[in-house]
Every structure is written in C-alpha cells, then in structure tokens.
Amino acid sequence: MSVTSKVAIAIIVEAVVFVALLFGSAGTLEWGAGWAWMILMFGGGGAVTVLIARRDPALLAERMRSPMQPDQPFWDKVFLVVMGVLWCAWLALMGLDAVRFRWSVMPLWLASVGSALVAVSFWLVARVFLENTFLAPVVKIQKERGHHVVSSGPYAVVRHPLYAAAGIMIPASALVLGSWWGLAASALLLAGLVWRTEMEERELIAHLEGYAEYAQRVRYRLVPFVW
C-alpha cells in the first residue's frame, strides 16, 4: 500500500473515531465547539501532513509505519496503548461534560484563547518536523536512516519540542471544547508525556551517539527555563 493511501485511511479512521467519541458522548451533532475543534485539528494536521509530504517524504513514510515495531522498547508499546485509551476517554468525557450533562460553563473568550493556542501548537509541530527527519512515532534508534542528534531550530531551545507542542495543544483543546473537567483531566495526558520524555531520554543517552553531550548543552526538556 502506498504512503498516500495509508495517510488517507489514517485520516478517515481518526475522523470517524473522533466524531463518534465527541458527538456520541455529547448525544448530538449540534455542537459548534466540537466541529470547531475538528476543523482546527484536521485542518492543522492536514497542513502539516502536506508540508511533510512535500519536504520530507521519507519522514512521512516512517510515521505511517505500525505503532508496534520489533525494535521498539516494550515499555513504549504499553505507553502507546495506555495513552490511546486515555485520549479516547478524555474526548468522551468532554462531550459528556460540555454538552450532555453541562457540568461545565466556560466563557466563550476562553474558547478563542484555546483556538489560538491550538494554532500555535501546530505551527510549532510544523517547525519541529521540518527540523528533524528522525521523528518516528515510536521510540527507537533509526540506524538504517543514519540517525543522528538534531540540535538546531526548536531543538536548540528544548530537547523535546514535539512533546512541548503537545503540551500546549492538549489543554488548549479542552478550552476550545468548553470543558473544565477536560482541562483537569488533561493533566493525566501531560503526565504521560513527561514520563515518556524521561524514558525516551534514557534510550537516547544509552544508544544515540552524541546525545549525552547534547543534553548537557541544551538543559531544558520541555519548558524553557523550567524543566
């Protein structure tokens, strides 16, 4: 199957799952904030995908590989399954919270702030993908692709800028969808990102030449001047 076909199938499946979780839990398709979030996510994600396809098709092909690979640490396989379950539960929670039961009442201006932050996060994601051709979706050393340390662009500021972008996108999404419970629960997803950052760094320091020296030069993992 071609990479283009894999991308098309992945987008369709993801869209169906997201709609089912969000609007199924909400109990209605008449949820403007839900559709606004879908447009932001798939508009931003689609734009990044097109950019990668044009600039770095090898990276896109790598990202379309299975999320379970032979040279991937077992802990990362478990992590991806757990995070997938948490993500689905999180989306369903926000549909229940913001629409079906209306536990949360969030001012509209926060949705605007959230939308702006989601857009910023996608801009950062694009910058990261353009800078690092080795951004596989799983933790592994890509010896067959000449894997080496990338220390330019966003990587000169923090060591894991893609996770930093996700750290913006996740709570911002809860603001767009108008869910205080979703905002609180996003802490679980963020904690997962922090844990994976720690575990991934152990792999990189142990197996990627030059990473230990890079980690000494760029002190911060996710948040500049904080951590």
Side-chain angles (χ1 to χ4, degrees):
M1 184 183 297
S2 69
V3 174
T4 301
S5 298
K6 290 181 179 179
V7 170
I9 292 172
I11 291 174
I12 291 170
V13 170
E14 193 173 64
V16 169
V17 170
F18 284 12
V19 167
L21 290 169
L22 276 176
F23 296 93
S25 61
T28 180
L29 292 174
E30 297 181 2
W31 182 17
W35 291 115
W37 183 79
M38 290 287 292
I39 291 170
L40 282 168
M41 294 298 290
F42 285 90
V48 172
T49 300
V50 170
L51 182 64
I52 300 172
R54 290 178 177 176
R55 301 283 190 89
D56 194 349
L59 172 58
L60 184 60
E62 180 64 42
R63 293 197 66 81
M64 286 297 104
R65 293 184 62 188
S66 169
M68 301 294 160
Q69 301 180 21
D71 47 354
Q72 175 186 10
F74 177 73
W75 64 260
D76 194 47
K77 296 177 181 180
V78 174
F79 170 83
L80 291 177
V81 172
V82 172
M83 285 295 281
V85 172
L86 287 176
W87 175 269
C88 291
W90 181 63
L91 291 181
L93 170 65
M94 290 190 286
L96 293 172
D97 176 27
V99 181
R100 185 182 289 269
F101 298 118
R102 298 187 182 278
W103 297 322
S104 291
V105 178
M106 189 176 285
L108 289 177
W109 66 267
L110 279 178
S112 298
V113 171
S115 298
L117 289 174
V118 169
V120 168
S121 69
F122 272 115
W123 172 81
L124 182 54
V125 166
R127 287 283 291 112
V128 174
F129 278 129
L130 289 176
E131 204 68 40
N132 187 0
T133 189
F134 306 112
L135 266 179
V138 305
V139 174
K140 66 176 185 175
I141 306 301
Q142 301 167 59
K143 295 180 180 179
E144 73 284 358
R145 298 185 64 218
H147 197 169
H148 60 265
V149 174
V150 175
S151 59
S152 54
Y155 289 89
V157 182
V158 294
R159 301 199 295 270
H160 298 274
L162 186 62
Y163 297 159
I168 297 171
M169 184 184 297
I170 290 169
S173 294
L175 297 181
V176 175
L177 293 169
S179 173
W180 289 115
W181 280 104
L183 184 61
S186 66
L188 288 175
L189 296 173
L190 297 180
L193 289 179
V194 170
W195 185 82
R196 195 191 200 198
T197 299
E198 290 275 8
M199 296 298 290
E200 184 173 334
E201 289 233 310
R202 295 182 187 181
E203 295 287 329
L204 294 172
I205 289 172
H207 303 293
L208 183 60
E209 183 179 355
Y211 192 87
E213 292 78 9
Y214 164 68
Q216 290 178 346
R217 294 196 311 272
V218 179
R219 295 175 53 196
Y220 303 105
R221 292 181 177 92
L222 295 176
V223 184
F225 309 109
V226 178
W227 185 75

